[in-house]
Amino acid sequence: MRKQLVAGNWKMNKTLDEALILVSEVVNMVNDEAKGDVKVVLCPPDLYLATLARYLEPITQMALGAQNCHQKASGAYTGEVSAPMLKSVGVEYVILGHSERRQYFAETDQQLAEKVDVVLENGLKPIFCCGESLEQRNGNDFIAFVCSQLTAGLFHLSAGQFADVVIAYEPIWAIGTGLTASSQQAQDMHAALRQHLAGQYGEAVAENTTILYGGSCNEKNAPELFACPDVDGGLIGGASLKSREFVNIVKSF
Ligand code: 13P
């Protein structure tokens, strides 16, 4: 059975005080209410990772994630954060290739492939994002486009390395817009991505890879999305900033 996972991508939100309140509320609710086999990952701004690690460390079901990291392990890259640094403060997952990073920070496929490598080399797990724009969705080849993002960012890895990779399908037109992919649209894309993985790595790797859905996922639509056979959880933006709603999403399986 592949791992079910719900990750909260806080993006550039919350002051330290607000972050401390949110994390303690989520920790308490997950402890009291959540099924033990769903992994819950919180991805706050880097600035808070070391502080929040102490809250999450005692809870095996929860883990800390970063929202990005640099492709080099160290060096003269003012303002950047590296994979070894993230590892050293207790981070386990790193979101890579989010559409906001690709769009606003011009991250390329080549950089993302390097980031995937440095993350894995340092014992971290990438949550690799992919997804099409509305324009692409309205064309004919959006499935081939999203598959090509996996090819470019991940297919240099060995089958063994793939055990630590999580994929997040996030249609750009659904991010922060209130427009969610229907469960059928999500299922169709997830099944196509899994088939694409099978073509490269074989059925076993494809069947064992966790594929998350992201894009206006909330407590109302999560149960239907998570019921799809190829949807293994969610990468949650806006709804992860509210403890009650986020934990309700965690409980949606
Ligand atoms: P929203 O849930 O706010 O649409 O954001 C999704 C996302 O980008 C998570 O990475």
Side-chain angles (χ1 to χ4, degrees):
M1 253 291 273
R2 54 185 174 258
K3 196 184 294 168
Q4 295 178 323
L5 190 153
V6 176
N9 176 8
W10 294 6
K11 308 191 180 181
M12 195 175 72
N13 291 294
K14 302 288 179 190
T15 62
L16 178 58
D17 284 349
E18 291 166 347
L20 290 168
I21 292 170
L22 179 56
V23 82
S24 48
E25 288 177 355
V26 170
V27 161
N28 286 336
M29 288 183 204
V30 167
N31 255 340
D32 291 347
E33 304 171 22
K35 276 197 308 175
D37 48 3
V38 182
K39 189 92 181 177
V40 182
V41 182
L42 299 185
C43 307
D46 285 352
L47 195 55
Y48 309 144
L49 288 167
T51 306
L52 300 192
R54 279 177 243 137
Y55 290 74
L56 301 185
E57 211 257 351
I59 303 158
T60 46
Q61 144 166 46
M62 294 192 72
L64 203 53
Q67 299 173 15
N68 178 36
C69 80
H70 195 267
Q71 61 269 31
K72 294 276 193 279
S74 65
Y77 300 100
T78 301
E80 291 294 310
V81 169
S82 74
M85 293 175 192
L86 296 175
K87 181 76 180 174
S88 75
V89 298
V91 167
E92 193 176 327
Y93 292 85
V94 185
I95 298 171
L96 292 177
H98 192 283
S99 59
E100 289 151 15
R101 303 269 343 150
R102 293 180 191 255
Q103 187 181 347
Y104 305 138
F105 302 94
E107 289 191 355
T108 64
D109 287 336
Q110 176 60 35
Q111 280 171 337
L112 290 174
E114 291 172 25
K115 287 181 186 215
V116 166
D117 286 341
V118 79
V119 159
L120 288 170
E121 279 160 16
N122 285 281
L124 297 161
K125 298 171 184 147
I127 300 178
F128 186 86
C129 301
C130 56
E132 80 287 0
S133 65
L134 189 54
E135 205 181 359
Q136 286 164 325
R137 164 68 60 168
N138 290 332
N140 286 328
D141 52 358
F142 63 92
I143 289 189
F145 171 75
V146 180
C147 287
S148 78
Q149 290 182 309
L150 298 195
T151 305
L154 296 172
F155 279 13
H156 61 288
L157 299 176
S158 68
Q161 287 176 303
F162 232 87
D164 286 329
V165 172
V166 174
I167 291 169
Y169 167 56
E170 299 205 306
I172 297 169
W173 47 273
I175 295 177
T177 57
L179 283 178
T180 319
S182 68
S183 52
Q184 191 62 55
Q185 286 172 322
Q187 169 57 26
D188 288 350
M189 180 63 82
H190 284 226
L193 295 177
R194 208 177 293 289
Q195 202 181 359
H196 189 54
L197 294 182
Q200 176 76 5
Y201 293 106
E203 289 293 335
V205 169
E207 280 306 310
N208 283 324
T209 302
T210 296
I211 307 181
L212 310 178
Y213 169 79
S216 297
C217 187
N218 58 40
E219 62 190 350
K220 293 203 177 69
N221 57 34
E224 199 183 322
L225 285 161
F226 294 180
C228 297
D230 286 292
V231 176
D232 307 312
L235 180 54
I236 317 300
S240 74
L241 301 173
K242 296 173 231 151
S243 54
R244 181 68 270 165
E245 175 147 24
F246 180 65
V247 177
N248 284 348
I249 295 171
V250 170
K251 292 162 66 185
S252 295
F253 286 99

